Amino acid sequence: MRCARAALDEIAARIRDRATGTSTSTSTSTSTSTGDFAAAGLGMGASGAALLLSELSKGDPGSRTTVHALLAAEAGFAGAKGSGLITGLAGLGFAAKHAARSLGDYATVRGRVDAALRHRLGKVLDAEYGRMESGVAGAGRENFDVVSGVTGLGRYFLAEPSGPEAVHDVLRYLVALTEPVKALTEPVRAGAGPLPGWFSPRGPPRWTRCGGSGCSTWASPTASPGRSRCCPCAGRADCASPAMTRPSAVSPGG
């Protein structure tokens, strides 16, 4: 436990060093990066660093200044990096929600992010339902995954202050992805027949053993789409859709 705490303190110190241009880290090494603060999202961006420090600031109020600086830095460009939770605007919104200690904290940035993400969610869902109704198999992972898709947006909308309607929209879509799509257009592969709605033909080569769909639950819902990441959280938050409890029409194994 002491080693884990020491590592956490060291990471936090390095983040503060990068954000403030000072040097408080106990390490003499300069080769370890704490992330690219010109990136966006929780993965490698400033909002990921802000999320960590905002949690630590509960016991160290002095970290709040760095949290503010990190959120302000990312607010200037996050929208240009996409809308994803791990790679874009939703990461900024999630970190700002976590950092807020009152309803007024970061109200402007949270309001703008929320409006932009609701617009993005609507566009993606309209396009995806149109695709499914047209019998076009092959869902783009970037549309449904946690990294850049609507599952990540669902997690953002679950965070307080939550957006129950948006969460339900996400869950309805993820459940719809468990239904088979009988391709009316040229089959994705010869003799494929009905394909699971989450089938994604554009998986990296190392994932082709799954029939073209990614095996990582971060990037694909091969364990049933929403159930892999978003649905358990929604269930705990009492935002679950009744359709989440029925069996998938197509087994995740395809």
Side-chain angles (χ1 to χ4, degrees):
M1 182 65 72
R2 287 195 299 270
C3 289
R5 183 67 205 194
L8 181 61
D9 291 342
E10 177 68 14
I11 292 170
R14 294 189 187 195
I15 291 172
R16 294 188 193 96
D17 290 351
R18 289 200 61 184
T20 62
T22 60
S23 179
T24 59
S25 171
T26 59
S27 172
T28 57
S29 171
T30 59
S31 61
T32 302
S33 173
T34 54
D36 178 5
F37 291 170
L42 298 180
M44 291 295 290
S47 60
L51 181 62
L52 172 64
L53 291 186
S54 69
E55 179 64 25
L56 294 178
S57 72
K58 294 175 181 178
D60 176 20
S63 295
R64 298 286 294 170
T65 300
T66 309
V67 171
H68 300 331
L70 289 167
L71 292 176
E74 186 158 325
F77 60 79
K81 304 287 185 176
S83 59
L85 179 67
I86 308 301
T87 58
L89 190 62
L92 171 63
F94 188 88
K97 282 185 175 185
H98 189 277
R101 298 293 183 262
S102 70
L103 291 177
D105 287 354
Y106 310 112
T108 299
V109 68
R110 288 192 289 115
R112 290 176 178 174
V113 168
D114 202 78
L117 294 180
R118 287 175 188 274
H119 177 71
R120 171 62 179 166
L121 177 62
K123 289 184 64 175
V124 172
L125 295 186
D126 286 347
E128 279 292 274
Y129 284 128
R131 175 188 63 78
M132 288 186 276
E133 289 172 4
S134 299
V136 178
R141 288 192 320 278
E142 68 278 5
N143 289 329
F144 64 68
D145 69 8
V146 177
V147 177
S148 57
V150 300
T151 302
L153 297 187
R155 187 62 189 89
Y156 159 79
F157 284 116
L158 274 169
E160 294 294 338
S162 63
E165 290 185 4
V167 173
H168 289 150
D169 288 344
V170 169
L171 295 175
R172 279 193 290 268
Y173 165 65
L174 293 176
V175 170
L177 283 183
T178 67
E179 299 291 348
V181 175
K182 184 172 178 57
L184 302 179
T185 58
E186 182 179 350
V188 175
R189 61 176 184 240
L195 294 169
W198 46 257
F199 180 84
S200 181
R202 298 192 295 278
R206 67 180 182 276
W207 291 349
T208 55
R209 65 182 181 276
C210 300
S213 182
C215 281
S216 168
T217 55
W218 280 99
S220 81
T222 52
S224 290
R227 295 167 205 185
S228 62
R229 295 285 175 181
C230 190
C231 288
C233 295
R236 289 194 296 271
D238 294 326
C239 289
S241 166
M244 288 165 53
T245 60
R246 63 173 174 73
S248 300
V250 176
S251 66

